[in-house]
Structure formats: C-alpha cells, structure tokens
Amino acid sequence: MRQLIIVRKDLCMSTGKIAAQCCHASNAYFMHLFKGREEWLSRTPAEPYAGHLAVDEDGKPFLYRLNELTEYAQRAVNEGKVIFFTKFVPYEEGSKFGKLKWADPEEVKFVYSGKVVIPSDVYENWVKDIYTKTVCEAKNKGHLLKAVLLAEELGLKENEDFFLIRDRCLTELEPEEVDENGIGTTLTCIGFRPLDDDTAHKISKKFQLLK
C-alpha cells in the first residue's frame, strides 16, 4: 500500500511551505480517524502543589490527597473515575497547605484520550510496513481537482478516502476563496488514505512526481 499526496506547483510555495502542506495532507487521514472519538481525560495544574478532585458516577466530587500524581491518576483510572486536578491556594506564603480552588484555564493543560480504529488492511500493509508515500505535483488548481474526479470514479469519498488541504494564508499565500466568516483559504494539495498500489497508480499516473 502507499499514501498518495498531490501538491500544486503553480503556487510557487517555498520548500518548507510545500513540506508543511504535504504533512497536513499525510496527517489528514489519521486525524479523521481520531476526531470525534476523543474524550476529555484530565487537566493538570502548572504548579507542583495540587489538590486532586475526582468525580463519581453521580457527578459528586471527592478529594484525593496523594503525593504522587502518577499513583493518583492510575488509581482514579482503575476505579473508572473522570479525573480533575485543582491547585492549592496557600493560607500563608510558601505553605504547601491551604484552600482549594479550580485552576485558571490559562494555567491548565488539557489532556485527551481517544481510540483510533484502523482498517486491518491499512494496519497490516502500511502501518506495520514502511509507510510508503508517493508525492506528485499538479500544474494548477484545475489539474489538482482532476485527482478528485479520478478518485470519485474509483468510488473514493472526500473526507473519508481523500482530503483537500486548504491553507489559511497566514504566511506566503494569498486567499483564492473567502468563506461566509471572512476567512480566506487557498487549496494547496490533496492527501489520500493508504491505497493499494494499483488504485494509487490509477490516479498518480496522470501526474508527475514532485520535482
């Protein structure tokens, strides 16, 4: 299997920009598998002294006082509880003990957990193999969109089997399109999920390898 990526050459993007856009195209498939399946697992405070609140199935909070965060987190997970962390507000300067309050959002690092379900053929023939990729170039936007037509003729679906990458035009590019919210974008490339070699070749044979 191989992952096919096709990038526009007419935009005259720098080498770094092309690399970034191709990375977006490569990641899009796995982000698609992950998004919507993630769950908010925990949040941790920036300060070393922390009170530890967990929430039971009825939504009632209760307090752990453990010195080792790893031990606390593992115990809470083993008991099937959702984890929350707070920080102490010391009664006295430098004290490790005091009242508890929720950490400010800007002081919190959010942690998510999610299950990614990977088709067996992709896992066996690509993930466990050498992640083969082919990067081709399109002459312009119209040429790039030809890949979409070829993909659809092969029964592939957008946002499942292939992904159109649109740059937000914050650095090198000027917007080609502006949405209803005033956000400008430019179509830069297309990334496919890992395909069997024959299917990938039916598309890539219409394009040159990126030079």
Side-chain angles (χ1 to χ4, degrees):
M1 300 188 79
R2 68 183 58 247
Q3 186 177 43
L4 174 62
I5 298 166
I6 305 173
V7 60
R8 284 174 61 180
K9 201 68 180 293
D10 64 310
L11 295 173
C12 299
M13 293 181 284
S14 66
T15 302
K17 186 72 172 179
I18 290 174
Q21 296 303 303
C22 289
C23 286
H24 289 319
S26 181
N27 289 338
Y29 172 66
F30 284 102
M31 291 298 98
H32 152 72
L33 294 179
F34 180 73
K35 287 181 179 179
R37 296 178 176 88
E38 69 272 23
E39 295 180 357
W40 183 53
L41 179 63
S42 64
R43 58 183 184 178
T44 57
E47 297 183 1
Y49 307 125
H52 314 310
L53 283 176
V55 178
D56 60 24
E57 293 180 355
D58 297 325
K60 182 179 179 181
F62 52 95
L63 179 66
Y64 278 102
R65 290 182 183 271
L66 295 176
N67 294 327
E68 177 56 51
L69 283 175
T70 303
E71 179 186 349
Y72 159 72
Q74 189 60 57
R75 182 194 294 187
V77 168
N78 290 344
E79 295 178 2
K81 298 180 175 67
V82 180
I83 304 169
F84 294 89
F85 294 131
T86 67
K87 68 176 183 179
F88 281 113
V89 181
Y91 282 116
E92 299 177 1
E93 186 68 27
S95 172
K96 297 182 181 180
F97 307 100
K99 298 179 181 179
L100 290 170
K101 76 170 186 177
W102 290 108
D104 295 330
E106 293 184 356
E107 298 174 338
V108 168
K109 180 177 68 175
F110 289 87
V111 181
Y112 290 85
S113 174
K115 180 182 292 185
V116 176
V117 180
I118 302 175
S120 59
D121 61 335
V122 174
Y123 183 75
E124 293 293 336
N125 301 312
W126 197 72
V127 174
K128 290 178 65 177
D129 200 34
I130 57 173
Y131 304 97
T132 303
K133 297 178 179 67
T134 298
V135 182
C136 295
E137 62 182 50
K139 298 175 183 178
N140 49 45
K141 182 178 180 180
H143 192 204
L144 183 69
L145 292 175
K146 183 177 181 179
V148 174
L149 296 177
L150 293 170
E152 291 174 341
E153 289 174 358
L154 293 170
L156 304 180
K157 297 180 180 180
E158 185 176 355
N159 297 326
E160 290 184 18
D161 304 308
F162 64 88
F163 304 83
L164 294 172
I165 305 304
R166 292 178 170 86
D167 185 64
R168 292 286 295 271
C169 303
L170 301 178
T171 53
E172 297 182 10
L173 302 178
E174 294 296 327
E176 289 183 335
E177 302 174 2
V178 179
D179 66 15
E180 63 275 7
N181 298 315
I183 297 175
T185 59
T186 292
L187 178 64
T188 59
C189 56
I190 182 172
F192 290 84
R193 66 170 174 81
L195 302 169
D196 63 83
D197 287 346
D198 288 342
T199 301
H201 181 65
K202 289 177 182 177
I203 301 171
S204 65
K205 68 181 182 180
K206 301 295 184 179
F207 300 85
Q208 291 185 351
L209 291 175
L210 178 64
K211 297 178 181 179

